[in-house]
């Protein structure tokens, strides 16, 4: 099985319940053909570069999944039939772009306090920079341009 990246633009009128239903239907197609959904992320509402089906905004949904070619063909067929999906694109991502599923994922806003500064640490004694070491030439004369 290969890993694929699915980017969908969904109608902006869709509420949270409709979005959850759409994501469940996409996941059902993927798992129905022996694949697995690695991650699904709703990127939010954004303005489209040009109108598509008389819509000027859309909700972007990014999904990573492992599936085979038969599952990919069926997913494309079903996405074309879903009225909620304005546009979609399926690509094979680079190996370093694939998100790895982790069981003990921390919430995103919970990293407060990782950058605590020790009170005994004196920040003023780090390095004294001289003005001469700035890398700029203070001399206003043009030695290179001899006319």
């Amino acid at each position: 099985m290969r890993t694929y990246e699915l980017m969908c633009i969904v109608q902006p009128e869709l509420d949270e319940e409709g979005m959850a239903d759409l994501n469940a239907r996409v996941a059902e197609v993927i798992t129905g053909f022996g694949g697995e959904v690695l991650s699904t992320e709703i990127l939010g509402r954004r303005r489209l570069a040009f109108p598509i089906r008389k819509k000027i905004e859309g909700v972007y949904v990014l999904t990573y999944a492992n599936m085979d070619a038969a599952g990919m063909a069926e997913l494309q067929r079903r996405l074309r039939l879903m009225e909620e999906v304005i546009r979609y694109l399926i690509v094979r991502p680079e190996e370093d772009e694939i998100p790895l599923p982790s069981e003990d994922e921390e919430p995103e806003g919970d990293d407060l306090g990782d950058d605590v500064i020790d009170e005994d640490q004196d920040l003023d004694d780090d390095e004294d920079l001289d003005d001469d070491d700035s890398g700029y030439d203070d001399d206003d004369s043009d030695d290179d341009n001899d006319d």
Side-chain angles (χ1 to χ4, degrees):
M1 280 197 270
R2 294 184 170 180
T3 301
Y4 293 96
E5 176 182 293
L6 166 65
M7 176 68 77
C8 291
I9 304 175
V10 181
Q11 292 184 4
E13 295 85 19
L14 208 58
D15 59 351
E16 289 182 24
E17 184 179 313
M19 187 70 68
D21 181 51
L22 177 70
N23 288 335
R25 286 189 286 159
V26 170
E28 180 182 316
V29 173
I30 293 170
T31 56
F33 281 84
E36 68 173 323
V37 176
L38 299 177
S39 70
T40 298
E41 181 179 359
I42 299 174
L43 300 176
R45 179 186 302 248
R46 299 192 183 180
R47 185 171 176 85
L48 301 176
F50 54 89
I52 303 173
R53 296 187 200 167
K54 299 182 181 180
K55 306 284 184 195
I56 58 172
E57 287 185 336
V59 178
Y60 285 69
V61 180
L62 178 64
T63 303
Y64 287 93
N66 286 334
M67 64 175 65
D68 57 0
M72 177 58 55
E74 180 64 19
L75 179 62
Q76 288 179 342
R77 186 184 79 76
R78 297 239 185 127
L79 285 171
R80 280 193 298 271
L81 296 175
M82 291 180 188
E83 292 181 10
E84 301 93 349
V85 177
I86 298 173
R87 254 320 130 86
Y88 71 90
L89 178 67
I90 301 174
V91 295
R92 296 252 345 255
E94 298 291 327
E95 291 296 323
D96 57 344
E97 295 176 358
I98 300 171
L100 298 175
S102 62
E103 295 175 6
D104 52 16
E105 224 175 6
E106 292 183 16
E108 287 185 17
D110 198 28
D111 60 350
L112 303 173
D114 288 345
D115 300 328
V116 176
I117 298 174
D118 186 15
E119 291 179 9
D120 296 333
Q121 181 181 6
D122 189 10
L123 297 176
D124 295 333
D125 292 339
D126 285 346
E127 250 182 76
D128 292 333
L129 297 176
D130 295 331
D131 291 335
D132 297 335
D133 295 336
S134 65
Y136 294 105
D137 187 16
D138 291 336
D139 189 14
D140 290 335
S141 65
D142 286 334
D143 296 333
D144 296 337
N145 296 333
D146 292 332
D147 291 316

